[in-house]
């Protein structure tokens, strides 16, 4: 569905000073186009207030949020900033290279859903089975607990058939509303992106930490410092997304009006239970990512404790060496003091060559050295007895 730009409206917007930006629009059929529109045009198109549109501005920093309004949902999760209506998704940062892979995937999802919807509406079932996208993982689908029909939610991780199988579709598939599919795509992309980033960090962290424990150097310490900074940053991002999922999870009938609005002209009632199932599934996934980061943080803390113990042990060895050297210096100082006494200009019999000679001098020097060594040994033995030395 095309949305041509109204030149008159754009001109009035420019005259009024309202900004006109390029918006990427992906409709329910998977068709994407870039349209130029002002803030007021988007507000009329989606029914959103102006303050909600500011959440989509990449220049502004807003926490991870999923807001439900009467006619649209505002999604602000990591790099995904989008407006979901009953028939389309609207992105403001259309030129963001990080957004391109996500847009390609949701186009595939929407095209597949549109094909299934068209097939069910026409009552025709082809022999070739559709393949669900990677948004829904690789787990085989499981039937509902009450034996009911299977649905296109996280439970149906992959179709029981693939594109190469043939045969009739014996499942009466319940197609989720467009808003459910779009929201689940956003949740899955966000959770997968954070989990992949956490996995890469984990793969880099373990070798760096092990290398640091084997050899403490400035280079290894700097690598671990960078890894710890990245760990703190990604943990904060995951925590924000987890908190948003937790706030949206646990909906009941009383919260139906406060839930992210999935209602449209084609949906008469909101299936809060299915929404809860979607939110709960990705809450569990983001919780697993947070647990992975917590385990990595504990490993970093354990490594830091081990390094501190090693440094304390080395410091203790240095202190013991200081005690030994100080004791040796004391003994040598006593010997030096003795030689200083003998070096004084004092007349004593030991200096009289008629009474004493070289043998007496050697006995005096040797005895002084032996006495110094004996005093040193006694001092070290006493330190060991007092457990000052190992």
């Amino acid at each position: 569905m095309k949305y041509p730009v109204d030149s008159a409206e754009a001109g009035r917007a420019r005259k009024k000073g309202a900004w006109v930006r390029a918006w990427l629009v992906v409709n329910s059929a998977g068709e994407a186009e870039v349209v130029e529109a002002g803030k007021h045009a988007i507000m009329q198109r989606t029914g959103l207030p102006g303050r909600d549109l500011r959440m989509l501005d990449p220049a502004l920093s807003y926490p991870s949020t999923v807001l439900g309004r009467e006619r649209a949902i505002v999604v602000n999760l990591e790099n995904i900033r989008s407006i979901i209506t009953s028939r389309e998704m609207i992105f403001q940062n259309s030129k963001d290279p990080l957004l391109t892979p996500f847009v390609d995937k949701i186009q595939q999802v929407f095209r597949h859903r549109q094909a299934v919807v068209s097939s069910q509406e026409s009552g025709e079932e082809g022999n070739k089975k559709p393949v669900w996208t990677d948004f829904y993982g690789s787990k085989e689908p499981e039937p509902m607990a009450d034996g009911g029909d299977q649905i296109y939610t996280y439970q149906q991780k992959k179709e029981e058939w693939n594109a190469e199988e043939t045969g009739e579709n014996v499942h009466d598939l319940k197609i989720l509303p467009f808003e459910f599919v779009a929201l689940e795509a956003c949740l899955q992309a966000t959770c997968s992106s954070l989990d992949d980033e956490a996995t890469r960090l984990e793969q880099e962290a373990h070798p760096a930490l092990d290398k640091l424990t084997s050899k403490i150097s400035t280079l290894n310490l700097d690598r671990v410092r960078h890894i710890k900074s990245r760990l703190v940053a990604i943990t904060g991002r995951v925590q924000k997304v987890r908190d948003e999922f937790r706030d949206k999870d646990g909906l009941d009938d009383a919260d139906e009006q406060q839930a992210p609005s999935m209602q449209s002209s084609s949906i008469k009632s909101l299936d809060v239970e299915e929404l809860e199932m979607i939110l709960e599934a990705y809450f569990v996934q983001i919780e697993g990512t947070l647990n992975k980061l917590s385990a990595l943080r504990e490993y970093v803390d354990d490594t830091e404790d081990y390094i501190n113990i090693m440094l304390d042990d080395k410091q203790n060895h240095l202190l013991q060496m200081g005690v030994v050297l100080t004791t040796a210096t004391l003994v040598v100082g006593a010997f030096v003091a003795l030689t200083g006494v003998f070096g004084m200009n004092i007349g004593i019999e030991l200096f009289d060559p008629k009474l004493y000679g070289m043998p007496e001098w050697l006995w005096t020097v040797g005895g002084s050295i032996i006495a110094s060594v004996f005093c040193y040994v006694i001092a070290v033995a006493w330190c060991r007895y007092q457990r000052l030395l190992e």
Side-chain angles (χ1 to χ4, degrees), residues 41-259:
I42 296 298
M43 291 169 58
Q44 293 177 0
R45 185 169 180 166
T46 60
L48 295 174
R51 64 178 179 274
D52 290 345
L53 294 183
R54 286 195 291 270
M55 296 178 56
L56 305 178
D57 191 347
L60 301 178
S61 177
Y62 279 90
S64 299
T65 307
V66 178
L67 289 179
R69 296 295 184 247
E70 183 178 356
R71 293 170 48 193
I73 311 169
V74 182
V75 178
N76 179 18
L77 297 174
E78 292 294 308
N79 296 318
I80 302 175
R81 301 190 177 200
S82 173
I83 302 173
I84 302 175
T85 66
S86 61
R87 60 181 181 179
E88 62 190 9
M89 290 186 70
I90 304 175
F91 303 89
Q92 179 175 320
N93 51 342
S94 58
K95 297 183 179 180
D96 187 357
L98 299 177
L99 189 63
T100 303
F102 174 72
V103 174
D104 294 339
K105 286 186 177 181
I106 62 173
Q107 285 184 275
Q108 297 176 7
V109 173
F110 294 165
R111 289 167 185 165
H112 176 83
R113 177 183 176 279
Q114 185 66 25
V116 175
V117 170
S118 301
S119 176
Q120 289 194 356
E121 289 179 351
S122 62
E124 298 177 359
E125 295 183 357
N127 292 330
K128 193 172 183 181
K129 305 304 181 188
V131 178
W132 200 243
T133 65
D134 291 337
F135 275 124
Y136 300 90
S138 59
K139 184 179 178 181
E140 291 297 326
E142 299 176 359
M144 299 292 290
D146 57 357
D149 298 334
Q150 291 182 324
I151 56 176
Y152 278 111
T153 64
Y154 70 94
Q155 287 184 326
Q156 193 167 357
K157 300 298 183 180
K158 184 188 285 186
E159 300 296 334
E160 294 178 334
W161 52 82
N162 54 44
E164 299 176 355
E165 292 180 341
T166 59
E168 294 184 355
N169 182 2
V170 296
H171 298 278
D172 183 14
L173 296 177
K174 179 181 179 180
I175 306 301
L176 287 178
F178 171 79
E179 300 94 322
F180 276 69
V181 176
L183 178 61
E184 186 174 3
C186 295
L187 300 181
Q188 198 279 336
T190 301
C191 293
S192 298
S193 175
L194 292 173
D195 188 71
D196 293 342
E197 190 171 348
T199 301
R200 289 194 299 268
L201 180 62
E202 187 179 29
Q203 293 173 352
E204 295 177 16
H206 284 283
L209 293 171
D210 294 340
K211 193 172 183 180
L212 179 62
T213 55
S214 61
K215 181 180 180 182
I216 302 176
S217 64
T218 303
L219 179 60
N220 293 337
L221 286 172
D222 189 62
R223 290 179 60 189
V224 173
R225 180 179 64 85
H226 284 293
I227 289 175
K228 188 174 181 179
S229 300
R230 291 169 55 192
L231 176 61
V232 172
I234 189 176
T235 301
R237 291 160 51 197
V238 172
Q239 184 70 46
K240 291 179 181 178
V241 176
R242 173 186 174 274
D243 292 343
E244 179 63 19
F245 285 7
R246 182 179 57 187
D247 294 340
K248 292 295 183 293
D249 197 9
L251 301 173
D252 53 26
D253 294 339
D255 298 327
E256 184 171 332
Q257 299 300 327
Q258 302 297 329

Side-chain angles (χ1 to χ4, degrees), residues 307-372:
I307 296 300
N308 291 331
I309 292 174
M310 292 178 61
L311 294 176
D312 291 341
D313 183 66
K314 289 186 177 181
Q315 185 177 9
N316 291 335
H317 283 295
L318 291 176
L319 293 175
Q320 292 177 10
M321 183 178 293
V323 172
V324 173
L325 293 177
T326 301
T327 304
T329 302
L330 178 63
V331 173
V332 172
F335 181 75
V336 171
L338 181 62
T339 58
V341 171
F342 283 107
M344 292 181 180
N345 190 13
I346 302 174
I348 57 177
E349 294 181 353
L350 184 61
F351 293 158
D352 190 351
K354 296 179 181 180
L355 299 177
Y356 300 99
M358 182 61 69
E360 289 77 9
W361 182 83
L362 292 176
W363 274 107
T364 301
V365 173
S368 299
I369 294 175
I370 292 173
S372 299

